[in-house]
Amino acid sequence: MNTKVRNILIALCVATFAFMSLASGSSSEEASYTQVVVQQENGEGASSTENNIEVTPQTQSVMQYEVSDTRFEYYTNSIGSTEYFGIVEITNTGDTNIYLDDCTFDLEDNDGHLLQSDSFISAAPEIIAPGERGYFYNGIGSNLINENVSFDNGIVLVPQIRVEEATGEPVDYPVSDVTVSEGNYGYLNVLGRVENTSDEEIGYLYVDIVFYDANGTALAITGTSVTNIPAGGMSSFDTTCYFANENVSISDIADTVVMAREHYYQW
């Protein structure tokens, strides 16, 4: 092999080695810092790095509520028996629907001694959406205080509530033409209409009625049943509030909320 050929071969080997070293270094840099070109609307390219893409974490829904008010009153009714009326207001402070599952009203004295326990407690309504208020209250069936209960050491309402996250959605029907008046013997009377906006007849619907004072405090709660509302039609209701709080008169009421919400129950 002559000197010229040998020098050419040596030069080729050196060049090949240098090229391989450069290629190896470039590959290492690309592995840690990959550049991509994003084509903008004006046709110009803007570089960014895949390594720096920000991922927004998914937020999980939270069931949260508070007992925002508790009201308890007792009084002697027109026939001389002692009645009581209790309200527990639940405010949905979370971002899920809430099911007002169950409640027991325990009446205790000032030392925590149990005087009476009532489990026939209603919910108005049974399901509440975020930001809404719902209520546990007593009415017919649990409005009398037992004759053997002593008031010597006081009497207080201690509610035992059970609230769960609802798996369904509230379904409301429009209420219109509502009139609140003073009926016979001073009892409150509520008159109004419910519209069935569905395409099927509603066989049964319970209408909840909540009376508020000027401060937005619930004073009394009652309700009435409406049956056989035709699809696309309307039905009226006219109820006298015999089992609401007798201490509340029409002059105490600043606002009345009537809710025609479909009955809700979950296992």
Side-chain angles (χ1 to χ4, degrees):
M1 179 182 298
N2 59 39
T3 302
K4 183 177 180 180
V5 172
R6 185 179 62 220
N7 291 339
I8 292 173
L9 291 175
I10 292 172
L12 288 173
C13 289
V14 172
T16 301
F17 178 79
F19 177 79
M20 292 179 62
S21 296
L22 289 172
S24 175
S26 174
S27 174
S28 175
E29 289 180 3
E30 289 180 356
S32 61
Y33 189 79
T34 305
Q35 287 229 339
V36 295
V37 176
V38 181
Q39 192 69 25
Q40 298 178 341
E41 291 184 0
N42 59 10
E44 298 179 358
S47 63
S48 64
T49 60
E50 292 178 348
N51 304 56
N52 297 332
I53 295 176
E54 295 184 0
V55 178
T56 302
Q58 295 290 331
T59 57
Q60 187 174 7
S61 297
V62 177
M63 188 200 84
Q64 188 170 301
Y65 69 93
E66 66 177 10
V67 177
S68 45
D69 192 22
T70 301
R71 186 179 183 87
F72 174 68
E73 296 182 35
Y74 61 91
Y75 48 88
T76 302
N77 63 20
S78 57
I79 61 173
S81 299
T82 304
E83 290 188 16
Y84 82 94
F85 194 80
I87 297 176
V88 178
E89 181 181 83
I90 307 294
T91 299
N92 186 345
T93 58
D95 52 13
T96 66
N97 295 328
I98 287 180
Y99 173 45
L100 304 189
D101 185 10
D102 194 23
C103 183
T104 299
F105 280 1
D106 287 345
L107 303 184
E108 301 178 358
D109 66 13
N110 291 334
D111 293 328
H113 174 62
L114 185 63
L115 303 173
Q116 181 173 321
S117 183
D118 290 322
S119 58
F120 196 67
I121 306 302
S122 301
E126 293 102 349
I127 180 173
I128 55 175
E132 289 186 334
R133 292 181 291 178
Y135 301 91
F136 288 114
Y137 72 99
N138 70 309
I140 182 174
S142 64
N143 61 321
L144 293 177
I145 295 180
N146 295 333
E147 293 182 359
N148 60 346
V149 169
S150 172
F151 295 83
D152 294 341
N153 194 26
I155 183 168
V156 294
L157 170 65
V158 182
Q160 310 293 334
I161 68 173
R162 185 165 67 232
V163 177
E164 299 178 358
E165 181 175 344
T167 57
E169 296 290 333
V171 178
D172 292 310
Y173 296 96
V175 177
S176 61
D177 204 9
V178 175
T179 302
V180 180
S181 61
E182 188 175 49
N184 296 333
Y185 307 105
Y187 289 104
L188 297 171
N189 188 267
V190 182
L191 179 70
R193 303 178 192 272
V194 178
E195 180 183 0
N196 180 1
T197 53
S198 73
D199 55 3
E200 295 182 357
E201 179 182 282
I202 299 175
Y204 177 85
L205 187 66
Y206 193 80
V207 176
D208 294 304
I209 304 168
V210 185
F211 302 101
Y212 295 91
D213 66 12
N215 297 318
T217 301
L219 300 177
I221 303 175
T222 189
T224 188
S225 301
V226 183
T227 59
N228 302 323
I229 312 174
M234 302 182 75
S235 289
S236 60
F237 60 89
D238 187 351
T239 182
T240 301
C241 308
Y242 292 116
F243 301 103
N245 188 349
E246 286 190 20
N247 279 347
V248 177
S249 64
I250 194 167
S251 61
D252 300 320
I253 298 171
D255 189 23
T256 302
V257 174
V258 182
M259 296 175 286
R261 180 164 291 182
E262 194 171 273
H263 171 68
Y264 181 87
Y265 182 80
Q266 70 183 40
W267 293 98

